[in-house]
Amino acid sequence: MAMVMSLVTYMLVSLMKMFKNNPMSYKYLTHGTTLEVMWTMFPAVILVTMAFPSFVLLYLSDDVVNPAMTIKAMGYQWYWVYEYSDFINDNGETVQLESYIMPDDLLEVGQLRLLDVDNRVVVPVDTHMRFMVTAGDVMHCFSMPSLGVKMDAMPGRLNQISTLMQREGMFYGQCQELCGIGHSEMPIVIESVNLDNFLE
C-alpha cells in the first residue's frame, strides 16, 4: 500500500510541476466552470427526478385505505392484549383477549416451546387488515417476520400497519424490542382461517 501511495503522490507532484512551469498550458483545460457546473447539475437533476416518484410511492404504501378489519395490539410486560375493534360482545364492549406465553408444563404435542400462546389471534384469510400497535408500559415491538410486519409499540403513540393473509395457517412472531426480564416471553401467534370458520 505504501508503494502505491508513493507512486500516486509522485505522479500528482510531477503533474502539478509540469502544468505550473509550462507556458503553453491552456487555462480553460484546468478551470472549466461551465463543465464543472454541468457535471454537478446533471446528476443532481437525475437524482431529484428519481426521488420525487419514490417519495410519493413511499407515502402511498404507508397509507391504509379502508381495511376490512382492525385489530389493536397492546404490549405490556410481558404479554399482549388484542382488541377486535370491529366486533362487539354481548355486554356491548369490544372483543378483547389477553395472550400469554404457554407454560412448558401445559404444552401439548405439536405446540412450540417459547412460541405458543394461550390465546391466539384468529383472523380470516384474504381479508385486508389493519393492526393498530401501542404499549402500556415500556417500548415493545410487534413483529411477524413471515408476514413482513414489524412495528414498534410505544406508550402514548398509536402506530398502524396493514397486512393481507393469503393462506391459512399459523404465523409466529416475537417482541423484537428489549423490554425487560420477560422479553423472551412475549410471543405472537396469528391463526389464519377461512371466513366461515372465523365467523363461527
Side-chain angles (χ1 to χ4, degrees):
M1 183 168 166
M3 191 168 86
V4 172
M5 189 170 172
S6 301
L7 181 63
V8 170
T9 305
Y10 171 75
M11 290 174 62
L12 182 63
V13 170
S14 299
L15 285 171
M16 287 171 61
K17 284 183 181 178
M18 184 177 73
F19 274 103
K20 182 179 177 186
N21 298 330
N22 188 354
M24 301 299 287
S25 63
Y26 189 57
K27 71 175 184 177
Y28 293 111
L29 285 179
T30 56
H31 301 288
T33 307
T34 307
L35 183 62
E36 290 174 7
V37 168
M38 283 177 51
W39 78 45
T40 303
M41 293 306 292
F42 185 67
V45 168
I46 290 175
L47 288 175
V48 168
T49 305
M50 288 172 33
F52 182 72
S54 299
F55 283 126
V56 170
L57 186 61
L58 180 67
Y59 287 118
L60 287 177
S61 67
D62 198 32
D63 193 21
V64 180
V65 181
N66 294 330
M69 186 173 156
T70 300
I71 298 174
K72 186 175 180 184
M74 295 165 281
Y76 293 94
Q77 290 181 318
W78 288 277
Y79 63 98
W80 290 96
V81 175
Y82 301 102
E83 180 182 296
Y84 289 83
S85 304
D86 302 318
F87 298 93
I88 297 174
N89 62 16
D90 297 334
N91 299 333
E93 301 170 347
T94 56
V95 176
Q96 187 171 325
L97 58 98
E98 294 180 353
S99 180
Y100 291 89
I101 189 170
M102 186 71 76
D104 290 347
D105 55 342
L106 296 179
L107 283 174
E108 297 176 4
V109 176
Q111 289 185 319
L112 301 173
R113 182 178 175 272
L114 296 179
L115 280 180
D116 243 307
V117 294
D118 56 355
N119 288 317
R120 299 173 179 152
V121 179
V122 181
V123 296
V125 72
D126 291 329
T127 303
H128 185 243
M129 287 172 295
R130 171 177 55 190
F131 283 96
M132 307 292 283
V133 183
T134 188
D137 41 32
V138 297
M139 280 185 65
H140 299 282
C141 183
F142 186 81
S143 175
M144 299 289 296
S146 56
L147 296 176
V149 170
K150 186 173 190 289
M151 181 60 65
D152 285 337
M154 292 179 274
R157 182 177 175 132
L158 198 60
N159 293 326
Q160 69 176 353
I161 193 163
S162 63
T163 187
L164 175 69
M165 310 252 184
Q166 295 182 327
R167 64 181 173 87
E168 296 180 21
M170 302 285 255
F171 299 90
Y172 295 93
Q174 284 274 46
C175 175
Q176 297 288 328
E177 186 73 37
L178 189 58
C179 56
I181 194 168
H183 162 67
S184 62
E185 299 171 1
M186 289 187 67
I188 304 163
V189 181
I190 297 179
E191 184 177 359
S192 178
V193 298
N194 63 42
L195 188 59
D196 295 332
N197 290 345
F198 176 75
L199 293 176
E200 289 176 5

